[in-house]
Amino acid sequence: MLRRLDKIRFRGHKRDDFLDLAESPNASDTECSDEIPLKVPRTSPRDSEELRDPAGPGTLIMATGVQDFNRTEFDRLNEIKGHLEIALLEKHFLQEELRKLREETNAEMLRQELDRERQRRMELEQKVQEVLKARYTAVQPCRALTRPLPPAERRSQGLSSRLQKWFYERFGEYVEDFRFQPEENTVETEEPLSARRLTENMRRLKRGAKPVTNFVKNLSALSDWYSVYTSAIAFTVYMNAVWHGWAIPLFLFLAILRLSLNYLIARGWRIQWSIVPEVSEPMEPPKEDLTVSEKFQLVLDVAQKAQNLFGKMADILEKIKNLFMWVQPEITQKLYVALWAAFLASCFFPYRLVGLTVGLYAGIKFFLIDFIFKRCPRLRAKYDTPYIIWRSLPTDPQLKERSSAAVSRRLQTTSSRSYVPSAPAGLGKEEDAGRFHSTKKGNFHEIFNLTENERPLAVCENGWRCCLINRDRKMPTDYIRNGVLYVTENYLCFESSKSGSSKRNKVIKLVDITDIQKYKVLSVLPGSGMGIAVSTPSTQKPLVFGAMVHRDEAFETILSQYIKITSAAASGGDS
């Protein structure tokens, strides 16, 4: 019976895989007392070794693989940690710069104080008016009680009061409209920046500007003879109207016709007339939720469009201003003579003749001369006077460049004529002029312990503001430093903004640079980053010049100068 129970208990597994019945805590006294022959399996030396090492011979390989995996994960985590630290430091640096700019320009606080003062002044004026009205109402009964009026005066006073009441009831509303009141300064509430509101405003702007753009396209198509039949009819009708003195009625009739067509379109009629066929742009459905990268890219696109639009408007306004301010006398002189000729013609010739002349010239210029000039650019550059005048008008940045170039040429001429006895004979004109370059803290070559002929390039005379991140250092004061970056002919110089010893400054030879590349702290952020990583043999980790607003310009300058120096050194070694 016991043997049968034993077979049932250990069915499906080998007996030697379990504990011995005598050692098992679940075994009873009856099972231990019975003599049951048990077969003990023989174990080989190999099996005994496997029993000693339950993991088997593959344990060492697996352990080394796990260690390598942990080491790579640890290195990766350290790298991500370093990137996050650099990102936080750049954020701190930019916040400090923004705080300094806000402290320097406190226009918002001044505007708020001005609004409060205006509100206070309006309240005081209202109080003064109320006091004066109360005094007037209090004095009138007192005057009436001072002396009794005779009956004739009482009747005349009653008649005048009734007349005054009738006049006030009839015309009081119009009199109140002409009463002077202090102007109310209402401050418009500014909406917070929102990606959804930004996209909606862009679509509204496109829809609102669509009629104007279509009108300009149609005028340009008429001038370019896009449709020969339409342009020929328009030219004939216009010239006939001008010849018979119907130019103004023609334009008024066209305006009335356009409004009538718009009325029919608003009533549901399908009317579409255009010289240039309209191309419907596909409208993307608005997204409900935008990611951080998409919001940032949207803001950048809108800022770029606004920048270009404001730049074009500023160029137009500056050219008009410079035309009337005699910035270039030879151009303004032509306008001056033309205005005098128009004034004398309007004084001595009848208006019909003047209008006929101006209308005929405008029609021929719009339909014929502009068509020829657009097809022949060289002819336009020689004989199109309005086009030549407009192209030659300078903007304010162009005037500044011209003045700075003239000053530099004057200084070069003066320095070439003057004699400096202390200058070495080997120095040229440009090297001699570089001796006088200085930063805010002193002469450039004295700050960085360089030779006198080393000076910043023309692109970076004022330097680029940035922060130097040295990841080889452990101290926070040495890990990141704010300052200005310069590029000379042979060196890359970083001047620390904190006052102190020159040890905080950094000078790197361009020849010693092993690698230079644009640096981006986190790959998830949009754009290409705001830093430059420079590797040298003396540093284990690359030096990072971060938080640079003009990063691309600085990178192109450093790279071009580095290529120039290395190519010159290579050619010198070959020779």
Side-chain angles (χ1 to χ4, degrees):
M1 186 67 181
L2 290 174
R3 290 179 181 177
R4 189 176 179 182
L5 290 172
D6 186 49
K7 289 180 180 180
I8 293 171
R9 183 183 297 172
F10 295 103
R11 181 178 295 172
H13 297 278
K14 290 183 179 180
R15 188 174 181 83
D16 49 356
D17 292 339
F18 298 92
L19 294 172
D20 193 79
L21 290 174
E23 298 176 358
S24 178
N26 297 326
S28 60
D29 297 334
T30 310
E31 294 173 344
C32 293
S33 62
D34 296 334
E35 294 179 0
I36 301 171
L38 299 174
K39 293 181 180 181
V40 179
R42 294 181 179 179
T43 59
S44 63
R46 184 177 180 181
D47 296 336
S48 63
E49 290 178 0
E50 290 181 0
L51 289 174
R52 292 194 196 101
D53 192 3
T59 308
L60 182 59
I61 298 172
M62 188 180 297
T64 55
V66 171
Q67 289 178 2
D68 294 338
F69 179 74
N70 291 334
R71 188 179 295 108
T72 54
E73 288 295 326
F74 183 72
D75 294 340
R76 193 178 299 166
L77 289 174
N78 284 336
E79 185 178 358
I80 294 174
K81 181 182 177 182
H83 289 328
L84 290 174
E85 290 177 355
I86 294 172
L88 291 174
L89 291 171
E90 284 191 352
K91 179 182 177 183
H92 176 71
F93 174 74
L94 293 174
Q95 286 178 352
E96 289 293 330
E97 292 292 330
L98 183 60
R99 184 181 60 81
K100 290 179 181 178
L101 290 174
R102 285 179 178 175
E103 290 178 356
E104 291 176 358
T105 58
N106 54 352
E108 185 68 22
M109 296 175 62
L110 294 176
R111 188 170 63 83
Q112 292 178 0
E113 291 181 0
L114 182 61
D115 292 339
R116 285 196 294 268
E117 290 294 333
R118 289 176 178 174
Q119 190 77 16
R120 197 177 305 159
R121 182 176 61 83
M122 292 173 61
E123 292 177 357
L124 290 175
E125 289 180 355
Q126 290 178 359
K127 289 180 180 180
V128 169
Q129 289 181 0
E130 290 176 359
V131 170
L132 292 175
K133 188 181 294 184
R135 285 184 180 179
Y136 180 76
T137 55
V139 167
Q140 290 297 330
C142 295
R143 289 181 177 178
L145 294 174
T146 51
R147 61 182 182 85
L149 295 175
E153 290 186 8
R154 257 180 281 165
R155 286 194 300 269
S156 62
Q157 189 175 5
L159 182 61
S160 63
S161 61
R162 286 195 299 270
L163 182 62
Q164 186 177 2
K165 184 179 179 181
W166 175 82
F167 183 80
Y168 185 78
E169 289 177 354
R170 290 294 184 90
F171 305 100
E173 184 178 358
Y174 304 105
V175 173
E176 290 292 332
D177 292 339
F178 286 95
R179 178 172 293 179
F180 293 148
Q181 293 181 357
E183 185 179 358
E184 296 181 359
N185 296 323
T186 57
V187 180
E188 296 182 358
T189 58
E190 297 182 356
E191 297 182 2
L193 184 61
S194 173
R196 184 179 300 175
R197 188 66 175 171
L198 194 59
T199 54
E200 183 182 353
N201 289 339
M202 289 294 295
R203 292 192 182 96
R204 289 172 55 196
L205 183 62
K206 287 182 179 179
R207 289 195 299 267
K210 189 176 180 180
V212 180
T213 54
N214 290 337
F215 179 72
V216 173
K217 286 180 181 178
N218 289 326
L219 284 181
S220 179
L222 282 176
S223 178
D224 294 340
W225 292 74
Y226 181 84
S227 175
V228 180
Y229 181 72
T230 307
S231 298
I233 292 175
F235 177 70
T236 306
V237 171
Y238 173 79
M239 296 300 287
N240 190 21
V242 170
W243 182 260
H244 292 89
W246 297 340
I248 296 177
L250 175 65
F251 290 123
L252 294 176
F253 175 75
L254 290 176
I256 294 170
L257 180 62
R258 187 67 230 183
L259 286 176
S260 304
L261 293 176
N262 291 339
Y263 172 75
L264 295 177
I265 292 171
R267 298 287 294 184
W269 288 44
R270 289 182 171 273
I271 299 173
Q272 189 173 2
W273 179 82
S274 178
I275 301 174
V276 182
E278 296 183 1
V279 180
S280 60
E281 298 180 357
M283 296 294 293
E284 297 181 358
K287 296 182 179 180
E288 295 295 333
D289 297 328
L290 296 176
T291 61
V292 177
S293 178
E294 290 175 348
K295 290 180 180 179
F296 190 77
Q297 189 64 36
L298 177 64
V299 172
L300 288 180
D301 294 340
V302 174
Q304 183 180 7
K305 291 180 181 178
Q307 172 188 341
N308 297 334
L309 179 61
F310 293 157
K312 292 178 182 178
M313 293 173 62
D315 290 343
I316 293 172
L317 295 177
E318 286 175 355
K319 285 187 175 184
I320 294 173
K321 181 200 70 173
N322 294 331
L323 175 63
F324 286 95
M325 293 302 295
W326 293 85
V327 174
Q328 283 191 342
E330 63 276 5
I331 296 177
T332 311
Q333 186 178 2
K334 296 179 181 179
L335 176 65
Y336 190 73
V337 173
L339 290 176
W340 269 110
F343 171 74
L344 295 176
S346 63
C347 292
F348 294 102
F349 295 101
Y351 286 108
R352 182 180 179 82
L353 181 60
V354 174
L356 177 64
T357 306
V358 173
L360 291 176
Y361 172 75
I364 295 172
K365 177 79 169 59
F366 180 79
F367 285 98
L368 299 179
I369 298 177
D370 286 348
F371 173 77
I372 296 172
F373 282 155
K374 289 178 181 178
R375 295 297 185 276
C376 306
R378 296 181 61 181
L379 194 65
R380 184 177 191 178
K382 290 181 179 179
Y383 301 106
D384 194 357
T385 305
Y387 175 78
I388 295 170
I389 290 175
W390 184 255
R391 289 294 300 271
S392 58
L393 281 173
T395 59
D396 288 349
Q398 292 175 355
L399 290 175
K400 289 182 181 179
E401 291 179 0
R402 292 179 186 178
S403 62
S404 61
V407 170
S408 62
R409 286 197 300 268
R410 194 180 299 114
L411 289 175
Q412 289 179 0
T413 306
T414 306
S415 61
S416 62
R417 291 179 181 177
S418 61
Y419 173 73
V420 183
S422 60
L427 295 177
K429 296 179 182 179
E430 296 181 356
E431 297 175 348
D432 192 17
R435 301 179 61 192
F436 303 100
H437 185 85
S438 61
T439 62
K440 295 181 179 179
K441 298 181 181 180
N443 292 329
F444 184 83
H445 65 278
E446 294 177 357
I447 291 175
F448 297 103
N449 295 324
L450 301 175
T451 57
E452 294 183 356
N453 58 348
E454 289 291 339
R455 71 182 189 279
L457 300 178
V459 183
C460 59
E461 287 184 351
N462 298 323
W464 298 291
R465 291 190 61 82
C466 62
C467 60
L468 173 61
I469 303 170
N470 190 353
R471 291 185 288 176
D472 293 339
R473 303 295 179 89
K474 301 299 181 184
M475 297 296 294
T477 55
D478 296 333
Y479 190 81
I480 182 170
R481 283 175 279 177
N482 301 331
V484 184
L485 180 65
Y486 299 95
V487 182
T488 65
E489 188 175 354
N490 299 301
Y491 294 94
L492 190 65
C493 304
F494 176 79
E495 181 184 3
S496 179
S497 59
K498 292 185 178 180
S499 60
S501 61
S502 59
K503 295 181 179 180
R504 301 184 63 86
N505 300 331
K506 189 73 176 177
V507 179
I508 303 172
K509 280 187 177 182
L510 294 177
V511 183
D512 295 341
I513 295 177
T514 58
D515 185 25
I516 176 173
Q517 57 184 348
K518 295 181 180 180
Y519 188 80
K520 184 179 180 181
V521 180
L522 294 176
S523 60
V524 297
L525 294 177
S528 58
M530 298 176 64
I532 299 174
V534 177
S535 302
T536 58
S538 60
T539 56
Q540 296 180 357
K541 296 180 180 179
L543 297 173
V544 178
F545 298 95
M548 298 183 69
V549 179
H550 304 283
R551 195 276 308 271
D552 295 336
E553 181 184 2
F555 179 78
E556 294 295 334
T557 304
I558 297 171
L559 185 62
S560 61
Q561 190 65 22
Y562 171 75
I563 294 172
K564 180 181 177 182
I565 292 297
T566 52
S567 60
S571 62
D574 295 338
S575 61

